[in-house]
Amino acid sequence: MERTWWKEAVIYEIYVRSFQDSDGDGHGDLNGITMRLPYLKSLGVDAIWITPIFASPLDDMGYDISDYTGILDTFGTMEDVDRLMAEANRLGIRVILDMVLNHTSDEHPWFMESRSSRENPKRDWYVWHPGKNGKPPNNWVSAFHGPAWTWDEHSGEYYLHQFSPKQPDLNWRHPEVRGAMFDMIRFWLNKGVAGLRLDMVNALVEDEQFRDNIWKDTREAVDYSRLASNISLDTENFVDRTRNQPETYAIVEALKREVLDPVGEIFTVGESWPCSPEVAGELAGPGRLDVCFHFDFLDLGRRDLSEFRRIMNKWETSLESRGPDAWNAWYLSNHDMPRSASVFGSAKHPKESAVMLNCWLLTRRGTVFLYQGEEIGMTDIRYPGIEDYRDIMTINHYRKLLGDGMDPRTALDTAAAASRDNARSPMQWDDGPGAGFTTGSPWLGINANHKWINVSGQLQEDDSILARTRELIMLRKSFPTLVYGAFRQVETDSDRLDCVFREDGDHQFLVVLNFSEEPARCRCLEECTGEAVFYSDQSSDSQVLGPFGARIYQLR
Ligand code: NOJ
Ligand code: MG
């Protein structure tokens, strides 16, 4: 296995709008990030992935871009970007940008031209279709509810949008689109960007014949009105013709060959939704992307450890068939997912469970992504009313449920439970009124628990979640075995424990984690003579892990 910076890196995801406001307008911004770089450095972070910073009407919080080389006003200016890059570079922190290639905003000049008439030279830069018998051409759906097609009255055709109607899909089969997007990426690489996170990269092209999405077993068209969710993450049961088309892989290869390779080693992580190890094996690999994100554990129930373990192991073992250099990307939360502490943690043992989860993450084989706030154990937020939510997906979901006849209270509960705002509440820096995030009025409500869950308080304690997470990062950095070493799951007689060996010619480690509120006896500790290099629980019996205990033993 070839050693590379990005395999060893702990990459910290910054959701820009909620990270740090520097000018009191209630919105996180670029100068806020620059201000906090020393904090990230001391945490041991190697690189930051910053969510889109480009000009946008914010229908989908910046994932709808109207100018790829312009900076969103509330975030700052190009000079602020340059300052952030220079400061990050000085501290040895790499910067990874979020590239949204599948769609633009409908307010992007390209789309405005494209929709102006059927004869416009940019008409085919997007995906247009006359429809079938006065209806959309097929059953494709938007991830934000409703059909993926919107009728354009003016030019008399439907356009495709796999997300909101304000996010029209680009037509990646068009060479000019490819050329324009590649040039845009070159512009950012020239600024010294070290890597790219490619938003929804598996959605770039759709079936050329516009065939319906079908069930794999019956081959019948999927009736999405009968499904609980529009977005099926299930590659086993559905043929989704808007995703994972072979031409996508050719585009990724061209991107690598024509744009990235000439600049140097640019790290790429593709977001793929849905994703299976087979899809990851196509998207990532020699001449293609470096790693992929998958969403396999998005729908997991609270603390379903056996299922969690099964899923994660599937990805681990898939490396064998995916080739000698295949590599995984690990994360437990991001700006689209609930917070790990709220899914797998415990309100009774908030500290222990958050430390245990970070221990899980930082002992995996693969590139580690740590979402902002996970280092202090931030939890999901629940807002009182639908008007407090900003996520378009939540608002549409709520409206749909009301439309289906659900009562407002249940509709709110249901939409809130799945809301992406859960993990987007502002970063909790201190216990003051704006949580140290802002001196103004925050764009999205701050969690009341910032009073006791915050960075500044945890910086003062030796055994805070923050301190322990930092310790884990340092441990990972001191022992490449924890990054590259073979990964061997140990069978346990408890469904509450997760035990893993990480080993290579130099060292051997045993990682033991208790995913439950009950103490758990661990058989593999019976003969363990190793030294505990990380120990989080108070248990007096060395073979019994306390609630949410996490330990790492060095065996050699
Ligand atoms: C994935 C992003 O993470 C999400 O926030 C966004 O809504 C969609 N892609 C569409 O760009
Ligand atoms: Mg601001």
Side-chain angles (χ1 to χ4, degrees):
M1 170 69 56
E2 201 192 312
R3 286 184 64 165
T4 335
W5 73 266
W6 54 264
K7 289 183 182 151
E8 297 168 20
V10 173
I11 302 176
Y12 187 92
E13 182 194 350
I14 295 183
Y15 190 67
V16 182
R17 187 166 295 270
S18 294
F19 188 60
Q20 176 66 62
D21 176 18
S22 70
D23 58 4
D25 67 355
H27 301 266
D29 45 48
L30 290 158
N31 289 338
I33 302 176
T34 308
M35 213 174 113
R36 294 295 185 179
L37 287 174
Y39 163 78
L40 297 175
K41 182 71 193 172
S42 72
L43 180 60
V45 161
D46 303 285
I48 51 176
W49 147 29
I50 53 179
T51 52
I53 53 172
F54 318 104
S56 162
L58 301 179
D59 189 54
D60 183 23
M61 284 304 148
Y63 284 90
D64 48 321
I65 297 168
S66 52
D67 177 1
Y68 285 87
T69 51
I71 304 301
L72 183 74
D73 283 347
T74 42
F75 286 173
T77 61
M78 196 57 96
E79 286 70 49
D80 298 334
V81 175
D82 293 339
R83 199 165 329 116
L84 165 61
M85 296 286 301
E87 193 51 18
N89 191 25
R90 197 180 67 79
L91 291 170
I93 296 178
R94 291 178 157 96
V95 178
I96 296 170
L97 286 190
D98 208 326
M99 284 291 152
V100 187
L101 308 180
N102 177 64
H103 44 269
T104 68
S105 161
D106 67 336
E107 295 181 35
H108 193 293
W110 296 342
F111 188 70
M112 300 207 288
E113 271 193 57
S114 180
R115 88 185 318 176
S116 66
S117 85
R118 289 198 211 175
E119 287 72 43
N120 187 279
K122 289 212 169 53
R123 183 65 168 183
D124 291 335
W125 279 41
Y126 293 83
V127 184
W128 292 94
H129 196 284
K132 256 181 8 206
N133 317 318
K135 294 220 174 78
N138 55 35
N139 68 350
W140 298 350
V141 275
S142 148
F144 297 155
H145 301 278
W149 296 97
T150 286
W151 177 253
D152 180 54
E153 198 55 61
H154 173 73
S155 63
E157 276 185 320
Y158 287 92
Y159 66 89
L160 176 72
H161 52 88
Q162 300 201 49
F163 293 88
S164 113
K166 286 186 67 64
Q167 293 168 291
D169 271 53
L170 281 161
N171 173 14
W172 271 86
R173 289 199 175 89
H174 199 307
E176 285 171 17
V177 167
R178 206 189 269 215
M181 292 305 262
F182 282 7
D183 281 346
M184 178 278 287
I185 296 173
R186 288 187 187 101
F187 170 90
W188 284 107
L189 294 179
N190 273 335
K191 290 214 168 264
V193 163
L196 306 172
R197 178 251 186 201
L198 301 176
D199 187 76
M200 287 308 300
V201 68
N202 67 327
L204 294 185
V205 279
E206 302 78 34
D207 181 47
E208 206 162 9
Q209 300 164 50
F210 298 96
R211 287 171 298 176
D212 282 328
N213 292 341
I214 56 170
W215 291 95
K216 272 195 178 163
D217 54 356
T218 62
R219 312 298 291 173
E220 273 170 24
V222 180
D223 179 355
Y224 284 91
S225 68
R226 290 164 167 272
L227 296 183
S229 166
N230 263 1
I231 20 171
S232 136
L233 302 176
D234 174 1
T235 47
E236 268 163 39
N237 289 308
F238 296 93
V239 180
D240 185 334
R241 290 180 164 130
T242 65
R243 306 286 163 89
N244 306 334
Q245 302 295 300
E247 280 162 282
T248 310
Y249 311 134
I251 293 172
V252 161
E253 272 178 3
L255 171 71
K256 172 99 172 116
R257 196 177 54 239
E258 294 168 27
V259 185
L260 309 182
D261 285 347
V263 180
E265 200 191 355
I266 301 297
F267 167 65
T268 46
V269 50
E271 182 202 30
S272 180
W273 198 349
C275 191
S276 59
E278 292 71 40
V279 170
E282 295 284 1
L283 278 171
R288 296 188 178 177
L289 304 181
D290 292 320
V291 287
C292 280
F293 286 134
H294 70 82
F295 290 85
D296 273 0
F297 57 104
L298 178 60
D299 292 329
L300 272 194
R302 199 177 151 75
R303 273 185 258 142
D304 184 350
L305 179 61
S306 51
E307 184 58 8
F308 176 77
R309 229 201 271 121
R310 188 191 64 77
I311 290 172
M312 296 315 200
N313 275 338
K314 172 180 84 181
W315 282 89
E316 179 53 45
T317 47
S318 76
L319 290 179
E320 285 157 30
S321 56
R322 281 161 52 197
D325 269 319
W327 198 243
N328 276 323
W330 296 109
Y331 69 97
L332 282 176
S333 181
N334 65 27
H335 67 285
D336 292 327
M337 308 267 288
R339 287 206 172 264
S340 64
S342 295
V343 181
F344 296 104
S346 145
K348 234 165 102 191
H349 302 277
K351 188 153 130 185
E352 293 76 3
S353 57
V355 170
M356 188 278 290
L357 290 165
N358 289 343
C359 185
W360 181 91
L361 184 64
L362 288 156
T363 49
R364 300 304 103 176
R365 175 163 65 161
T367 299
V368 167
F369 289 82
L370 185 69
Y371 180 51
Q372 69 185 40
E374 298 285 291
E375 75 276 28
I376 55 167
M378 277 178 64
T379 59
D380 282 355
I381 190 153
R382 172 61 203 257
Y383 296 108
I386 190 68
E387 63 287 351
D388 303 311
Y389 286 85
R390 299 284 172 271
D391 175 13
I392 177 177
M393 194 178 191
T394 312
I395 297 164
N396 288 353
H397 190 188
Y398 175 76
R399 287 198 193 121
K400 172 180 186 290
L401 296 172
L402 288 188
D404 290 350
M406 196 179 264
D407 70 278
R409 190 74 229 163
T410 320
L412 179 62
D413 286 346
T414 314
S419 177
R420 300 186 300 175
D421 284 340
N422 281 327
R424 293 180 182 180
S425 69
M427 180 68 184
Q428 298 169 196
W429 296 102
D430 64 34
D431 63 359
F437 162 70
T438 184
T439 52
S441 158
W443 75 281
L444 183 68
I446 294 173
N447 198 320
N449 66 17
H450 74 278
K451 290 268 172 230
W452 60 93
I453 303 177
N454 62 67
V455 170
S456 121
Q458 295 197 19
L459 279 174
Q460 277 149 45
E461 288 165 46
D462 289 344
D463 72 336
S464 61
I465 303 169
L466 180 58
R468 303 308 316 257
T469 304
R470 185 173 175 278
E471 199 183 321
L472 287 163
I473 295 177
M474 297 309 158
L475 197 63
R476 186 172 174 91
K477 286 194 189 308
S478 327
F479 294 106
T481 310
L482 290 172
V483 177
Y484 298 103
F487 179 98
R488 185 154 57 88
Q489 187 88 46
V490 187
E491 280 305 319
T492 62
D493 42 13
S494 163
D495 57 4
R496 294 184 246 136
L497 288 172
D498 187 54
C499 306
V500 157
F501 279 109
R502 298 300 316 277
E503 58 210 356
D504 59 17
D506 298 324
H507 299 290
Q508 186 183 35
F509 294 92
L510 172 63
V511 184
V512 209
L513 307 170
N514 181 359
F515 270 71
S516 80
E517 286 174 351
E518 311 303 326
R521 174 166 297 277
C522 183
R523 250 193 345 196
C524 54
L525 290 179
E526 274 166 24
E527 274 144 43
C528 172
T529 51
E531 179 205 353
V533 288
F534 186 83
Y535 204 99
S536 80
D537 61 290
Q538 311 285 323
S539 173
S540 51
D541 183 335
S542 65
Q543 289 169 32
V544 176
L545 265 82
F548 294 97
R551 300 183 196 166
I552 306 174
Y553 292 92
Q554 186 175 359
L555 307 177
R556 61 175 158 78

